[in-house]
Amino acid sequence: MLVIDNLHAEVDGKPILKGLSLSVNAGEVHAIMGPNGAGKSTLGYVLGGRPGYEVTQGSVTFDGPENQKLDLLELEPHARAAAGLFLGFQYPVEIPGVSNVQFLRESLNSQRRARGEAPLSGGDFLKLARAQAGALEMDAEMLKRPVNVGFSGGEKKRNEMVQMGILDPKFAVLDETDSGLDIDALRIVGDGINRIMRAPGKAVLLITHYQRLLDYVKPDQVHVLADGRIVRSGGPELAHELEAQGYAQVAA
Ligand code: ADP
Ligand code: MG
């Protein structure tokens, strides 16, 4: 569903991704682990199409609507989102002056329009948003507040999952979605990822440092990203090995 081949990318002229290859099939969850500064967030940004991240070599093929093969790197960020790609940020941005509801409704409806679907009415949208907030045990009052403004770290991460539930993407790249979550929130977010994304025709790339999220969202494969490449891949046991031994040992 997502095939990354020999991806090289740089930021401000500095090479960060240095020949990264990875293939994720529909129905799978792949975890990416690796030391700080390895290029994990950069991979997410390159897939999402963040400006300033320049791809110098390689390709990314994505199975879009009706499983049509898309050259992901050719598409504008909004077209990638409309094709079913979702990026959950390591550091979710605050958007003062724009309410969560306005933002989410506009996001969803612009994606629906891009796919040739009718936009949701205000009432139908609110029902959906309340249901998703409820499932993530987020207070519905938070939907009225400006996007992420004054939210705690954990609330921002939970809000990202509400967003994902509303947009219902095919493929999610989740960048350290577990950071800043307390133990109860971790379970709620883990259950949310399974509920929203564990379905035929969907897949997840889960960037995390810790086994604890993988206790809830069981990965089919685990990869170690170090210095801009995948240096090891394995099954779920690789995450335990990393936790016990550290990256330096395992990635050597
Ligand atoms: P990770 O998410 O694995 O911790 P990142 O992808 O955030 O790593 O960063 C990879 C490397 O890219 C780091 O060494 C970081 O300092 C560098 N980097 C990220 N953004 C920039 C930038 N705008 N200019 C220069 N270097 C950057
Ligand atoms: Mg990062």
Side-chain angles (χ1 to χ4, degrees):
M1 163 166 219
L2 183 83
V3 180
I4 304 172
D5 184 34
N6 191 31
L7 188 62
H8 291 250
E10 49 187 55
V11 186
D12 286 338
K14 182 184 168 194
I16 311 283
L17 300 183
K18 303 171 184 174
L20 189 150
S21 297
L22 180 66
S23 184
V24 183
N25 295 318
E28 292 180 348
V29 172
H30 288 219
I32 296 205
M33 306 179 85
N36 293 319
K40 303 182 300 295
S41 293
T42 300
L43 172 63
Y45 292 144
V46 167
L47 294 175
R50 181 171 179 170
Y53 288 72
E54 201 199 338
V55 174
T56 53
Q57 214 182 311
S59 66
V60 181
T61 309
F62 179 61
D63 296 352
E66 275 127 43
N67 292 331
Q68 187 192 354
K69 301 267 177 224
L70 302 174
D71 177 351
L72 193 74
L73 302 175
E74 281 284 294
L75 302 176
E76 294 289 322
H78 63 88
R80 298 182 195 196
L85 182 72
F86 177 86
L87 177 59
F89 291 105
Q90 182 172 2
Y91 305 107
V93 284
E94 300 185 0
I95 316 179
V98 178
S99 80
N100 229 352
V101 162
Q102 284 170 323
F103 172 69
L104 293 170
R105 186 176 169 203
E106 195 47 49
S107 307
L108 177 64
N109 280 340
S110 60
Q111 291 191 10
R112 290 177 66 95
R113 279 189 289 269
R115 291 194 293 257
E117 299 162 11
L120 284 192
S121 70
D124 284 346
F125 176 77
L126 266 184
K127 252 185 244 159
L128 173 66
R130 288 210 185 98
Q132 291 300 331
L136 270 303
E137 297 183 30
M138 190 179 91
D139 188 346
E141 283 298 306
M142 292 183 89
L143 292 169
K144 297 184 195 156
R145 284 170 52 183
V147 181
N148 288 326
V149 176
F151 289 23
S152 73
E155 286 168 345
K156 287 180 183 175
K157 296 297 174 125
R158 213 185 276 221
N159 198 35
E160 294 267 290
M161 294 302 97
V162 172
Q163 219 180 93
M164 183 168 83
I166 289 171
L167 295 175
D168 193 24
K170 280 185 78 173
F171 192 97
V173 181
L174 303 179
D175 193 355
E176 300 199 23
T177 298
D178 48 342
S179 72
L181 298 179
D182 63 38
I183 293 167
D184 295 333
L186 185 68
R187 175 183 48 79
I188 293 164
V189 163
D191 289 348
I193 296 170
N194 288 326
R195 174 180 55 84
I196 300 163
M197 298 304 299
R198 271 289 190 193
K202 292 189 169 194
V204 179
L205 206 51
L206 200 61
I207 298 169
T208 182
H209 277 294
Y210 302 104
Q211 170 59 36
R212 58 188 186 190
L213 182 61
L214 305 181
D215 288 337
Y216 295 104
V217 187
K218 305 223 180 301
D220 298 281
Q221 282 191 50
V222 175
H223 309 277
V224 182
L225 202 172
D227 194 23
R229 319 181 173 82
I230 303 294
V231 295
R232 252 192 88 178
S233 296
E237 72 288 349
L238 180 54
H240 290 283
E241 199 183 322
L242 287 165
E243 188 124 300
Q245 299 183 12
Y247 295 124
Q249 281 283 336
V250 173

